[in-house]
Amino acid sequence: MNNKLKIFLFGLSIVFGTLAGRAQSPAVQLNGNSLSIKQRINGQSLYTSIVFLNDDQVKINTSGEKPGKKKTQLPTAGIEVFDNGMEAILQSNQVKVVFDKKSQFLSIIRLPNEVLWKGYTEIISHPETEKQVIQLVAVECADEHYLGLGERLNGYDQKGKLVKMDLYDAWSHTDEKAYKSIPFYMSSRNYGVLVNSAEQLLFDMGAEKQDITKVTMRRPEIEWFLFANNSPLEVMEQYTDITGKNPLIPFWSLEPWYSRRRWNDTETAKKDIDQLDQYGIHFGVVLWESLLHEIRTEPDQVPTPFELIDYWHSKDKKVVFWDLTGQVQDTPENLKKYGYDKAPVKNYFLRDKNNNILEFSSSGETVNPDSGETSYMYIDSSNPHAMAWWMENIYGPKLRDDNGKSGPNGYNLDGVKIDFCELISKGLEDYVTYKPTPGIENVHSVMYAEEVYKRIQEIKPEGGITWTRGGGLGIQRGGIFWNGDRLRNFSQLKGTVLGLMAASISGLGYAGHDLGGYIKADDPEAEENYIRGAQFATFSPFFHDHGTAQAPREQNKYGRDNYGFYTRVRYNLIPYLSDLVVEANRRGWPMMRPMFYYHPNDQKTWKIDDQYYLGNDLLVAPVLAKGTSRIVYLPDGEWIDFWTHEKFSGNQSILVNKELNKIPVFVKKNSVLNLSLNKNLEIGGHFKHMDKHSLLTTYKLFSLEAGSTMLSEHKEKNPVLRIEHSENAANLFFENIEEDFALIIPQTLPSQIKINGAEFKASGEAFENANQGWKFDNLTSELKLKVKAVPNVTTYKIELVGLGSNKIQYVQGETVAEMDVPATPVVTKIEDWNGSVDLEFAKDDRLGERYVIGYGLNNSETADNRAYLNYGNKITIDGLENGKRYFFRIWAENQFHRSLETDWWLAHPTDEKRPVHTYDGKFLFIKGNHCTSKTTNDKGVKNYTFTVTADKASKVQLWIKRNQHLIHNDYDKWYKADILDLKKSDTITVEVAADHSLRELFIAPLGEDPFYKD
């Protein structure tokens, strides 16, 4: 029988058979701070114990076996018990638990009378295993919505869905499959539920019947918690008190990560990173997935892999390696090296009931060791001796140094990316582990990542990192995480945001992703998606660039400038983000916080799935579709645009229209942002990578209202700002200051500034290079001050004299920003080429619009063939037939309007052009359609020929750019081809496979490449 059908039928038997199965009266006992219930259901006994862990946190245990007596210190103050004959009641100052003896329903009520949960517990036959198990049923849920349950990619709200606590390689999925499944959810009634089991539970969140939810266990017992605190943040703190807090990760892990699956060699890798630094695109962490392979197979290349690791360290970059999750391949070499055929090492791996090591295929299926199939063994992560052995023999040599450097005896790497966490076979009954671990399939990676993270800190006192893909309950204890392989389009980017928000709700303080997606750089949306992805990554927990092109060096200048700007903004935000790390560690609060965390009584915020808080002060609304506008909901309060300082009132939705290179971000009024800025105090301003640690601590104030604010939570002595008002001045007291600092106040210009009673002189044009001084920046309308710390002085009083109102005079933003009808495009050039046409337009700064090119062989076909130009002013339309006449008509459109169309343009693609290209000895780009001739054989292979002249003969390097990658894990679309002896007049022929086309050719002296040349 189909499993879903079986679940449905069992559900029916429960709903209609409840009262009949519970005909026998329950036995109820009230004892100080607990309620105990014994029920007979369908001839079987159920024992339930209910206690308060505090005033707003209820713990419920139900089992088919009578519980033993436990001595547990539980709160008794304020706990009351009642039994009126009809009901047994356990009540705290905030919550009442009521057991109705007749219906045998349990209700949990937030006082005075807000019913949060009502339902009962049942024994059923499990739909998959057919064993007797517990099922927890909640009723009267029609109006509820459920958020969390792990990193869900199938939508934000799990209402109406059947969710299984299982792990999958969920790359690009939009269904129920997930890398992370966690049995915790938040209800729109503003409470949380944790089912404390790592096993493959079934959560029916109204899939069968809208007003009923069911949790089906794997055994005849359940322990669950209901968190009734009015603050979702407090609920998160209580939840992580039980399941574990996020570790205090090293702050360097907040820097931008640059990750690649492969470079061709160490020389290419070195040059790529050097070029990024040179062009102001800053990264603090390098992750080369095939680095260990390079060490094994190409140890003598120049530079050697060890020399490259040392070089990157000398440039103040951390280096992380990639690995599978606790797997060792079963080979004769490994058997000889590790001796896992004998104790004690044999007992360090997952085994079956006959004490044989279990072996798995690369896809996670069990393998017969004698089959000859490639197989892997999993370390028993529940065994501390096994993990100590693992860290000493497997990871230790990679993490330890070799006499202070990287070498064969110690690679001196800084952390590990832990991949493929979800491939252990599911449902096996005969796993043997050191510590009994029900649900090992879901928590193997949890225990592994947690243990690896802890032991890395012992090897790396300055802090090492783990970067993990999948796991179950408690995964937040194991470092930082990413949400697997996503495609490079906007639909998948939206899914990434949904997944990260769901993971954050489920307790992952450090939820990350692959910037802009992992694969499919050939997607038509890839370029714009990558621009938006960089912006989203900057204002998310982690900035991790991984996957296929277009990497920064392959973008056009607009894309590179956007990318570089946001890597620098990321560095500006690191002090602010560091405080969020401290909060995640101390309180369990995720860095990325859904809107309802701060506005639980605003029901709109429970439905918003595309904007979030980054920490307490920043509201981030990433653009997740083509274009430059989106609707943003501003909740209660006053909000200031992060970029323009416009002020907006809350409790409204606004249409935000930003340039393509800006992400909508709003700051809560009264916020003080803790930033690190360059000498000119510029957001996104340029600095040298090696100067990143000397960026100036800067506090940006968005209010001058009286009060006190802690400026940082990650310093030994946390600085505090206290603001007081006198008759004609705002007085700012900065306390616990032990370093130089700066101050930015938007749209504020006092008549005089004093520091500790002395007049503070304006710096004027010398401000950037001055250690101390102030200026009013007319470009950004900001007051900027730099203060040089004085020895033995930790308190600084800054008087802003002559402020009439002691308020920042923000410009009031428009409630709705109108989008104009775009102008009709102006075509400046249309040029016929071989099987193609080049179009050029008059302008490039199109705000909120794209150009649509409709074309065909006659007027009526223009709607059937379309090309899109999202930014830039040039486009090539290819795939046309030579000798035919094509009609073109062009218009511009934004999200709401469409321009008038141009007049008809005519084009005649031709193979009669014989262009001659001149190489000047520096470099030469040639578009693929600007060839002398192009032929295609009967197998579809294309031959392009190009005519080139030069002043003199020379050796040159030929590069080619195809329309797509050769294989998905190649680094970029530019490929180094042949070295040519170029004559003064020469012909170059390029052969391209049937399913590819040639986009561009690059000719340059040896050692030059096509990157950053535009």
Side-chain angles (χ1 to χ4, degrees):
M1 185 184 291
N2 179 278
N3 281 343
K4 288 188 178 180
L5 180 59
K6 289 172 73 176
I7 294 168
F8 176 76
L9 293 178
F10 280 117
L12 286 178
S13 69
I14 293 164
V15 173
F16 297 121
T18 298
L19 294 179
R22 298 167 184 261
Q24 186 171 334
S25 297
V28 175
Q29 182 178 356
L30 291 162
N31 183 22
N33 63 350
S34 67
L35 168 61
S36 299
I37 305 166
K38 178 184 177 182
Q39 299 164 278
R40 290 288 292 176
I41 300 175
N42 296 326
Q44 300 181 66
S45 295
L46 274 185
Y47 300 89
T48 298
S49 171
I50 305 171
V51 298
F52 280 104
L53 299 184
N54 53 47
D55 275 354
D56 52 19
Q57 186 176 348
V58 183
K59 176 183 177 183
I60 304 173
N61 287 84
T62 301
S63 175
E65 296 182 6
K66 187 174 182 179
K69 292 185 177 180
K70 294 182 179 179
K71 290 186 178 181
T72 307
Q73 193 71 29
L74 292 170
T76 57
I79 305 297
E80 299 179 278
V81 293
F82 310 94
D83 191 331
N84 59 19
M86 300 286 291
E87 299 172 328
I89 300 172
L90 183 68
Q91 181 171 315
S92 73
N93 293 324
Q94 298 183 37
V95 174
K96 178 168 63 174
V97 180
V98 180
F99 178 70
D100 186 301
K101 295 181 182 180
K102 183 177 179 180
S103 67
Q104 301 190 33
F105 276 47
L106 188 72
S107 298
I108 302 176
I109 301 165
R110 182 187 288 129
L111 296 177
N113 56 7
E114 184 182 358
V115 177
L116 301 180
W117 189 94
K118 181 179 180 180
Y120 56 87
T121 309
E122 186 69 278
I123 295 179
I124 68 165
S125 177
H126 194 279
E128 295 176 358
T129 66
E130 299 185 357
K131 293 182 177 181
Q132 294 294 293
V133 300
I134 290 285
Q135 187 170 65
L136 181 68
V137 182
V139 298
E140 301 177 10
C141 310
D143 65 334
E144 277 194 272
H145 299 272
Y146 308 101
L147 311 179
L149 292 175
E151 184 186 67
R152 294 291 137 196
L153 304 171
N154 61 342
Y156 190 48
D157 184 3
Q158 296 305 302
K159 177 74 170 185
K161 297 174 183 175
L162 184 66
V163 182
K164 187 175 182 180
M165 293 295 103
D166 212 343
L167 307 184
Y168 298 91
D169 183 354
W171 82 280
S172 78
H173 277 262
T174 57
D175 57 16
E176 74 283 355
K177 291 182 170 57
Y179 291 107
K180 304 171 192 71
S181 287
I182 299 169
F184 173 82
Y185 65 83
M186 289 291 300
S187 162
S188 58
R189 291 181 183 173
N190 196 19
Y191 68 88
V193 166
L194 163 66
V195 181
N196 197 18
S197 169
E199 294 186 277
Q200 295 166 300
L201 314 181
L202 293 172
F203 281 75
D204 178 345
M205 308 309 290
E208 177 189 320
K209 194 172 181 182
Q210 187 180 20
D211 62 345
I212 293 177
T213 69
K214 292 178 255 183
V215 182
T216 305
M217 307 300 290
R218 300 286 291 194
R219 58 189 65 241
E221 61 185 21
I222 181 174
E223 178 179 84
W224 64 287
F225 301 80
L226 188 140
F227 307 93
N229 194 291
N230 277 301
S231 166
L233 284 169
E234 294 302 316
V235 168
M236 184 56 58
E237 185 166 1
Q238 294 174 348
Y239 160 63
T240 53
D241 281 342
I242 296 168
T243 60
K245 293 290 192 284
N246 305 273
L248 188 64
I249 57 174
F251 297 145
W252 60 256
S253 64
L254 298 169
E255 297 182 40
W257 289 51
Y258 194 57
S259 174
R260 281 293 168 267
R261 186 164 182 176
R262 57 181 287 179
W263 276 288
N264 291 332
D265 48 47
T266 55
E267 182 183 8
T268 302
K270 178 179 179 297
K271 185 173 183 179
D272 188 16
I273 300 297
D274 284 348
Q275 286 181 328
L276 291 169
D277 282 347
Q278 179 183 348
Y279 287 91
I281 303 174
H282 298 309
F283 292 91
V285 187
V286 180
L287 198 167
W288 183 359
E289 285 197 352
S290 60
L291 179 58
L292 299 184
H293 175 79
E294 296 290 322
I295 291 173
R296 287 193 302 270
T297 62
E298 299 288 342
D300 299 324
Q301 59 185 302
V302 179
T304 70
F306 301 130
E307 290 170 341
L308 182 60
I309 293 167
D310 285 339
Y311 176 77
W312 280 337
H313 280 155
S314 75
K315 296 297 181 181
D316 207 357
K317 300 180 191 298
K318 302 294 185 181
V319 187
V320 175
F321 70 96
W322 175 92
D323 196 23
L324 299 172
T325 308
Q327 300 175 39
V328 171
Q329 187 175 350
D330 185 12
T331 64
E333 294 79 12
N334 283 338
L335 177 62
K336 180 178 179 181
K337 184 175 182 179
Y338 301 122
Y340 48 77
D341 57 335
K342 299 180 179 64
V345 178
K346 179 178 180 180
N347 298 326
Y348 292 164
F349 293 88
L350 295 182
R351 290 161 287 132
D352 63 21
K353 58 187 177 183
N354 297 318
N355 206 37
N356 296 315
I357 295 176
L358 286 165
E359 301 197 19
F360 302 88
S361 69
S362 59
S363 59
E365 303 301 321
T366 53
V367 172
N368 183 337
D370 299 325
S371 67
E373 184 178 348
T374 300
S375 61
Y376 301 83
M377 306 170 297
Y378 279 84
I379 196 73
D380 180 359
S381 54
S382 77
N383 185 342
H385 308 293
M387 291 306 300
W389 174 87
W390 181 270
M391 292 301 296
E392 177 63 29
N393 292 277
I394 308 295
Y395 281 180
K398 301 173 179 65
L399 296 162
R400 291 190 294 267
D401 62 57
D402 189 347
N403 292 317
K405 293 188 174 184
S406 177
N409 297 318
Y411 302 171
N412 201 23
L413 298 170
D414 300 288
V416 55
K417 180 179 183 179
I418 302 171
D419 209 347
F420 291 98
C421 308
E422 55 287 319
L423 296 184
I424 297 180
S425 287
K426 298 164 178 60
L428 291 183
E429 299 292 336
D430 59 353
Y431 280 114
V432 174
T433 54
Y434 176 86
K435 177 183 177 182
T437 310
I440 184 70
E441 307 97 322
N442 287 347
V443 292
H444 177 271
S445 61
V446 175
M447 297 183 294
Y448 179 80
E450 180 182 18
E451 200 62 26
V452 169
Y453 180 85
K454 287 179 180 177
R455 293 176 184 270
I456 284 180
Q457 310 318 309
E458 297 170 4
I459 299 172
K460 297 282 182 183
E462 71 281 10
I465 202 65
T466 51
W467 176 258
T468 307
R469 186 166 84 169
L473 183 62
I475 186 63
Q476 71 271 9
R477 302 190 302 266
I480 60 179
F481 309 89
W482 90 102
N483 74 336
D485 301 338
R486 310 292 291 162
L487 303 181
R488 282 196 170 169
N489 60 51
F490 282 106
S491 172
Q492 291 273 295
L493 182 59
K494 173 69 179 291
T496 292
V497 175
L498 296 178
L500 295 186
M501 289 174 66
S504 297
I505 294 167
S506 304
L508 276 74
Y510 309 137
H513 64 290
D514 289 342
L515 182 158
Y518 170 67
I519 196 173
K520 295 285 187 185
D522 309 313
D523 191 290
E525 296 179 353
E527 288 189 8
E528 189 170 343
N529 181 74
Y530 198 59
I531 287 172
R532 292 303 189 187
Q535 298 165 6
F536 167 54
T538 299
F539 289 91
S540 75
F542 296 94
F543 188 115
H544 175 252
D545 186 330
H546 178 65
T548 55
Q550 289 184 0
R553 70 179 191 175
E554 283 233 318
Q555 296 184 70
N556 61 21
K557 189 175 186 303
Y558 187 98
R560 287 200 307 273
D561 288 348
N562 171 85
Y563 197 94
F565 175 80
Y566 281 98
T567 64
R568 298 190 296 273
V569 173
R570 180 68 181 189
Y571 275 101
N572 298 154
L573 291 172
I574 282 178
Y576 178 79
L577 298 170
S578 299
D579 287 341
L580 305 189
V581 167
V582 172
E583 290 181 342
N585 172 249
R586 293 177 182 171
R587 309 197 67 178
W589 295 355
M591 298 174 71
M592 187 176 182
R593 301 169 188 172
M595 298 292 292
F596 72 83
Y597 268 28
Y598 291 96
H599 312 278
N601 296 322
D602 183 347
Q603 281 297 308
K604 295 188 190 74
T605 64
W606 290 86
K607 300 174 183 177
I608 294 174
D609 62 2
D610 60 354
Q611 61 182 67
Y612 56 90
Y613 279 90
L614 183 64
N616 182 65
D617 298 320
L618 295 178
L619 191 160
V620 183
V623 178
L624 304 174
K626 280 181 169 293
T628 57
S629 297
R630 62 153 293 165
I631 301 295
V632 178
Y633 178 68
L634 298 177
D636 185 46
E638 290 187 74
W639 298 90
I640 296 99
D641 188 300
F642 179 82
W643 306 106
T644 67
H645 304 140
E646 290 176 283
K647 182 178 72 174
F648 297 87
S649 299
N651 288 321
Q652 65 166 332
S653 294
I654 64 172
L655 175 64
V656 179
N657 190 25
K658 292 287 186 188
E659 296 179 14
L660 182 60
N661 62 0
K662 287 293 188 295
I663 176 175
V665 178
F666 295 85
V667 186
K668 192 186 299 181
K669 188 186 175 185
N670 297 329
S671 297
V672 180
L673 295 184
N674 184 7
L675 307 170
S676 287
L677 300 182
N678 65 4
K679 293 178 179 180
N680 209 30
L681 305 187
E682 297 166 316
I683 300 286
H686 282 274
F687 59 88
K688 293 180 180 179
H689 180 77
M690 295 298 287
D691 293 337
K692 64 184 180 182
H693 296 300
S694 58
L695 293 174
L696 191 58
T697 296
T698 304
Y699 304 112
K700 185 166 183 177
L701 277 62
F702 289 86
S703 172
L704 289 176
E705 294 184 7
S708 182
T709 303
M710 184 178 291
L711 298 173
S712 174
E713 293 194 34
H714 69 272
K715 297 180 182 293
E716 188 173 341
K717 289 185 178 179
N718 290 323
V720 175
L721 167 63
R722 182 165 44 88
I723 300 178
E724 298 178 356
H725 296 154
S726 58
E727 183 177 351
N728 193 35
N731 301 305
L732 284 56
F733 296 87
F734 289 85
E735 302 169 354
N736 296 333
I737 300 295
E738 297 181 330
E739 61 182 349
D740 299 347
F741 71 100
L743 184 65
I744 297 178
I745 310 176
Q747 298 173 345
T748 300
L749 181 57
S751 59
Q752 185 185 36
I753 299 176
K754 296 180 181 180
I755 294 187
N756 290 346
E759 184 175 359
F760 199 49
K761 297 292 186 181
S763 305
E765 295 299 322
F767 179 79
E768 181 173 358
N769 295 314
N771 292 323
Q772 181 162 295
W774 70 272
K775 75 170 184 177
F776 186 80
D777 191 324
N778 290 302
L779 186 64
T780 60
S781 296
E782 294 173 321
L783 174 66
K784 296 180 176 181
L785 300 88
K786 291 194 286 191
V787 181
K788 182 72 175 172
V790 178
N792 302 316
V793 175
T794 59
T795 298
Y796 295 82
K797 178 184 178 183
I798 299 178
E799 299 175 67
L800 305 178
V801 180
L803 294 184
S805 65
N806 290 324
K807 290 184 178 179
I808 299 173
Q809 301 300 313
Y810 291 111
V811 175
Q812 183 66 42
E814 296 289 338
T815 301
V816 176
E818 292 292 342
M819 289 195 69
D820 295 330
V821 176
T824 302
V826 176
V827 181
T828 57
K829 181 191 291 186
I830 182 163
E831 192 170 9
D832 302 320
W833 287 97
N834 194 334
S836 60
V837 171
D838 288 350
L839 290 167
E840 190 168 323
F841 300 93
K843 61 176 184 174
D844 188 18
D845 54 344
R846 304 189 307 279
L847 177 61
E849 60 192 65
R850 65 177 179 177
Y851 287 175
V852 184
I853 300 97
Y855 62 96
L857 294 172
N858 54 61
N859 298 6
S860 63
E861 291 185 19
T862 56
D864 297 328
N865 299 280
R866 291 188 180 183
Y868 301 93
L869 183 61
N870 296 300
Y871 61 91
N873 67 332
K874 298 177 182 179
I875 188 172
T876 295
I877 312 296
D878 53 18
L880 308 180
E881 292 185 57
N882 290 323
K884 297 290 181 70
R885 182 178 65 172
Y886 285 85
F887 292 83
F888 285 80
R889 181 164 272 183
I890 302 147
W891 62 93
E893 64 183 22
N894 56 37
Q895 287 93 319
F896 303 97
H897 304 291
R898 170 174 166 163
S899 76
L900 297 175
E901 297 179 356
T902 64
D903 292 331
W904 288 108
W905 288 80
L906 290 177
H908 302 79
T910 177
D911 60 0
E912 295 179 359
K913 278 193 174 182
R914 301 290 184 267
V916 177
H917 307 280
T918 301
Y919 172 62
D920 62 3
K922 295 179 181 178
F923 60 84
L924 172 65
F925 285 99
I926 307 175
K927 293 182 67 172
N929 63 323
H930 293 189
C931 55
T932 307
S933 66
K934 182 176 73 173
T935 60
T936 305
N937 66 20
D938 55 1
K939 294 182 179 179
V941 175
K942 305 175 185 69
N943 277 280
Y944 297 77
T945 60
F946 301 86
T947 302
V948 179
T949 63
D951 292 338
K952 61 180 180 179
S954 61
K955 280 190 180 295
V956 296
Q957 178 69 60
L958 177 66
W959 293 71
I960 60 171
K961 179 188 275 192
R962 303 178 185 231
N963 65 315
Q964 63 188 49
H965 300 298
L966 296 177
I967 54 176
H968 90 271
N969 59 357
D970 270 338
Y971 174 49
D972 46 39
K973 294 181 187 175
W974 277 110
Y975 296 96
K976 187 185 289 188
D978 297 332
I979 294 175
L980 304 177
D981 289 312
L982 186 68
K983 305 180 183 68
K984 286 187 176 183
S985 181
D986 213 339
T987 299
I988 298 172
T989 301
V990 179
E991 184 179 282
V992 179
D995 56 344
H996 291 248
S997 61
L998 182 63
R999 290 182 59 180
E1000 204 162 3
L1001 211 63
F1002 177 75
I1003 301 169
L1006 303 185
E1008 291 292 325
D1009 60 45
F1011 307 114
Y1012 307 99
K1013 294 293 193 298
D1014 59 346

